[in-house]
Amino acid sequence: MAGKTVLKLSGVERHYGQGETTLSILKGADFELHSGEIVALVAPSGTGKSTLLHLAGLLEHPDAGEVFVGGHACNGLPDDDRTAIRRSEIGFVYQFHHLLPEFTALENIMMPQLIAGLPEREAKERASQLLDYMRIGHRGEHRPAELSGGEQQRVAIARAVANAPRVLLADEPTGNLDPETASYVFDALEALVKQSGLAALIATHNHDLAARMDRRVTIDGGKVVGF
Ligand SMILES: Nc1ncnc2c1ncn2[C@@H]1O[C@H](COP(=O)(O)OP(=O)(O)OP(=O)(O)O)[C@@H](O)[C@H]1O
């Protein structure tokens, strides 16, 4: 059963450029994401998957329409408020892990919590717990370069959810991994979402992974549609 709405896009438009060369990517897109669900965003290259994730993650402003995160209408808010909402409500995972190379896996996961002002002991405890959930509890003291691609992505996912956001946005999180490793990373992500009641929107070109998610949406004619 669907949980409550944690992310909502309503009539969202995004156009790039001006005049005759305007590229209209989103043209009145509506979308809702509910706690506890994992939704696949599968669409051909260039149709606007990253654009949609950036708008949902409050990294960009829509040209029209509204983005609601955790019930807040975000478009007209000052940048500081948008940043505060983004930090507390949203976690991001990208195709490449972007972990800090000079820090261990555990320290990378602790980082967002320390920035948010959590005491070191608590941050460490939560980071260890997340490493266990992601089934890499034994790799906490290793630096990113000492980890496999799948392990690095699991650390990146743990870091993205370290501050207990409501929404996880992922742009091709397994795009850099072989199919077996991708499936294993997805297993861990799925377990985490189901255990925590998080909601995840995952852009992927991997149809096998998309088939395992709760719902699948695509971008067609600038709108988000289920398929
Ligand atoms: N800042 C920008 N200025 C101009 N055009 C842009 C900008 N950002 C994106 N675009 C264009 O908008 C379209 C959608 O881009 P987007 O990155 O959202 O697609 P995508 O579906 O994520 O593609 P891919 O699967 O290849 O990553 C593309 O044609 C892209 O060139």
Side-chain angles (χ1 to χ4, degrees):
M1 201 179 82
K4 71 177 191 189
T5 302
V6 288
L7 169 71
K8 182 173 169 181
L9 275 68
S10 181
V12 163
E13 296 186 18
R14 188 72 176 107
H15 315 281
Y16 293 114
Q18 283 178 339
E20 284 181 11
T21 57
T22 300
L23 203 56
S24 290
I25 301 301
L26 298 175
K27 298 184 270 190
D30 298 315
F31 174 69
E32 282 194 27
L33 184 67
H34 310 102
S35 60
E37 73 172 348
I38 307 181
V39 177
L41 174 58
V42 186
S45 182
T47 48
K49 297 181 297 297
S50 300
T51 299
L52 186 81
L53 291 173
H54 289 166
L55 291 166
L58 309 182
L59 293 168
E60 280 186 37
H61 286 273
D63 295 305
E66 187 54 276
V67 176
F68 299 88
V69 178
H72 305 277
C74 297
N75 201 22
L77 293 178
D79 283 348
D80 284 357
D81 292 355
R82 286 169 62 88
T83 302
I85 293 172
R86 183 168 61 243
R87 287 209 177 124
S88 65
E89 310 271 352
I90 300 170
F92 291 94
V93 182
Y94 299 94
Q95 181 172 357
F96 299 99
H97 57 75
H98 299 302
L99 296 169
L100 298 170
E102 65 276 37
F103 292 97
T104 65
L106 196 74
E107 288 165 345
N108 266 282
I109 303 170
M110 289 170 66
M111 203 67 73
Q113 303 176 80
L114 296 177
I115 291 169
L118 218 72
E120 192 170 334
R121 195 177 46 79
E122 280 176 45
K124 194 166 183 176
E125 204 173 294
R126 166 121 176 113
S128 304
Q129 214 175 49
L130 284 168
L131 277 172
D132 286 341
Y133 284 143
M134 298 308 285
R135 303 174 201 166
I136 39 172
H138 57 299
R139 306 310 304 270
E141 297 307 323
H142 292 260
R143 291 195 169 82
E146 298 163 341
L147 303 174
S148 72
E151 288 168 344
Q152 290 167 349
Q153 272 312 61
R154 279 181 281 160
V155 175
I157 293 167
R159 181 185 55 178
V161 301
N163 280 338
R166 287 186 228 230
V167 178
L168 181 66
L169 300 174
D171 202 349
E172 292 284 350
T174 61
N176 197 28
L177 307 174
D178 64 72
E180 198 182 329
T181 308
S183 175
Y184 194 71
V185 169
F186 182 75
D187 289 344
L189 189 153
E190 186 178 36
L192 185 75
V193 170
K194 299 303 172 189
Q195 173 273 335
S196 63
L198 189 70
L201 177 61
I202 302 178
T204 182
H205 286 113
N206 183 328
H207 287 269
D208 292 336
L209 280 192
R212 294 180 53 193
M213 300 190 202
D214 299 315
R215 282 196 288 138
R216 282 146 293 283
V217 297
T218 189
I219 300 172
D220 189 6
K223 292 194 165 32
V224 179
V225 292
F227 70 97

